[in-house]
Amino acid sequence: MPSDLIYVAAACNRFSQAADVSPSSSLVAFGSSSLIALWDLDSRNDNGVSETLPEFKGLITCVKFLTNNVLISANDAGWRLTSTIQAHSKSISTLCVQGTRIVTGSSDSSIKIWKYAEGSDKDDIIESQTIELKGKYPLISAMAYLPKTNVSILAVAGTESFVRLWVCSDDQYLLSATLAGHEDWIRSLAFKIPETDKLPLILASGSQDATIRLWNIEPWKKSSIAMTKSLSSEPIDELLDSFEESLGDLGENEEGGRQISLKHHILTVKVDAESSQQFSVTFDALLVGHEAGVTSLSWRRDISTLPTLLSTSTDSSVILWSPSSVNPSADASASIWINRQRFGDVGGQRLGGFVGGLWARDGLEALAWGWAGGWRRWSCGSSAANDPADEKWNEIGAISGHDGPIKGLDWSPDGKYVISSGLDQTTRIHGPVHSPGKQSSWHEIARPQVHGYDLLNVVFVNPLKFASIADEKVVRVFEAPRGFVQLAERLGVAQFSKEEHKRPVGANVPALGLSNKAISDGSYFFISLDKANQVNQCDLGPQELVGDMDLSRRPFDGELASITLWPETEKVFGHGYESITLGVSNSRQLIATACKSTNAEHAVVRIYDTKTYKPVGEPLHGHVLTVTRIAFSPDDRYVLTVSRDRSWRLFEVQEAGGYIPVAADKSHGRIIWDCGWSAEGDVFATASRDKTAKIWQQKDGSWKAVATIKLSQPATAVAFSPAREGKRRMAIGQENGEILIYSGSMDSVDWLHNDTISSSMAHVDHIHRMAWRPSFEGSSEELATCSEDGTLRILRVRLGLN
């Protein structure tokens, strides 16, 4: 029974080298938790992440393409190619490649050089050299060949203000120069390979001091320097040294703190067995434009006569730099560098800014990912061959996902879209966007809640209202604003009545507040920069907020956290400790909550009416430890609860209101993580850490286990699909991320294993929730899942049965 992957919501890890673009320039690979996600930019239907590659345990810190078909990744424990090698004793912080050479740098204060033999019987990776950094940690590395030679040069920088250059001689790298000038840690390095023999090799370095420095590496011109010396009364290097010292003598409150050095660093390299050559390294340009630390640098493939450098910063900006056209010479080193384009946000969500950036599609697209892992994407509509200033850039849709484990999800009652909640303190709504001339594709369309606590669960009360719980003692209820209603309609996700349009236009979060407040009138500010000093969006009043500019496309990542919030309408209190789980009745008229507990007094379930949010009946007692899941039967007659105390309990509704206990069992040997009812309501299942899932049915007036499914891994989630052709289907999620599909007849106690959805399509870590899409017709069914691995997935499960 083959299954298809419809949608993956994944965020990029918070490392500047956690993503790379293939040599073909159209496939992006990025680390998402312990997964590698693949994003095909050439996909006609804009499907986002098309595939994930399961990794071993560890947070991925670096990703690099060796070829179009070979990918290497490093994490905070080791690194992986076609085989797995423990390269360092601590987290790997930098990774770069050059041909068959691989360089890794780690927080164990060392650099290692490896050789990769592709195509052999076993793809061998052999360590050839270790460079100890004596207590300094490498944060970035880059490699290139010296001009007109096959001599490799390695640049390394990190937790100091110097760039250190190593040159390869007799297959060993020797420290050859130390480049000073920055005033803080250096987080980014990038080599610009010369296109002609007349141009130098350029090294760009970006620092937390908010500056970028360019260094020229070129053959040492002895004749010109000798002539300069003959015209000077003292050696030029001594004059420059004296100038630097004078700059350093300035007081802390005086200007001129940054040193500008024109001193030549001479590299003597062995070109072959019989000859050597000298190269000079000189400071060429200081690029000032960012207001905070520079996080990444990337050179554009030459599609114009002028080189272009992309930089990202924690100030939430992306800048494209190139030489000015004042000097028409092709020698960029003789020009003044200016910022040609500036992208990003001003006045939006600035926390952390951008972490990294890349060029894609042969320099026609610029990509960047932010502190929370969401991507931004800009496309060059018209390329200017001679002047980058004439290029027209526009932001287009990218991808996003939770930056951390996802604990809860729920389908809207009509199955039009799904909502998720995660430990990144956000809830997100995902839906199928319909674009003209394209197949529908799933994307995040709203981020209704950006909270101050980790969010643990979320349920829809109706299609335009949801309740969520976080690591606090309160349940919060949110209602959709008019902006979401109109956006969902314009994108083809759902349709609503005229009455449902009568609601506040949007929401914002007051300063020092946690509650989203409705916006009925007045202005809302959100600014996005597409070009230097030119504002793309600002001062969004009520009409503009839901006007053509926002509704003609899905929101960008910078807008999702700013203008798609939902107003908070209710707070529900009752528990004495932090909430842990949340359930909703099938009529959507009741919600049930439970909190963390170590005793029977607090291990209770409280039920509330969703019209008044007042308690319904007495709290449901019986458990002695934390209740982990609450499930209402399809007719809401029963409430089923499971707990850390290894038991389940069943409560039945009374005519006077409220529920009373009617059954209980403690046959599981470990914690029960999840429970779920069949669509008919005569059967329920429990999933436990004891590596079993049990099917329970009422026999002779009592509930008994009619089937026990033994598993190879702990069962962490369970969900029944609607019955088809007289068959029940059940999905079981496991602790290792795999999903098992079982089926059974309506009157049979035998459950058959139909399919295993492996980690290549499912998850690689503990599955927290699963839910089948309601009201979905066709030859397949769709299953939404979320996991500790930080991804939300929608799978199409074929209905062919054994």
Side-chain angles (χ1 to χ4, degrees), residues 155-177:
V156 178
T159 57
E160 55 182 348
S161 59
F162 304 103
V163 179
R164 302 192 186 274
L165 301 180
W166 275 266
V167 174
C168 187
S169 178
D170 293 331
D171 212 27
Q172 291 289 301
Y173 283 86
L174 304 175
L175 180 61
S176 302

Side-chain angles (χ1 to χ4, degrees), residues 376-413:
R376 304 282 293 276
R377 183 181 180 187
W378 295 271
S379 176
C380 181
S382 59
S383 175
N386 296 316
D387 191 355
D390 293 335
E391 293 178 338
K392 305 298 182 184
W393 288 83
N394 295 296
E395 184 167 4
I396 58 178
I399 57 177
S400 62
H402 284 278
D403 181 31
I406 306 174
K407 305 289 283 188
L409 63 82
D410 193 30
W411 287 96
S412 63

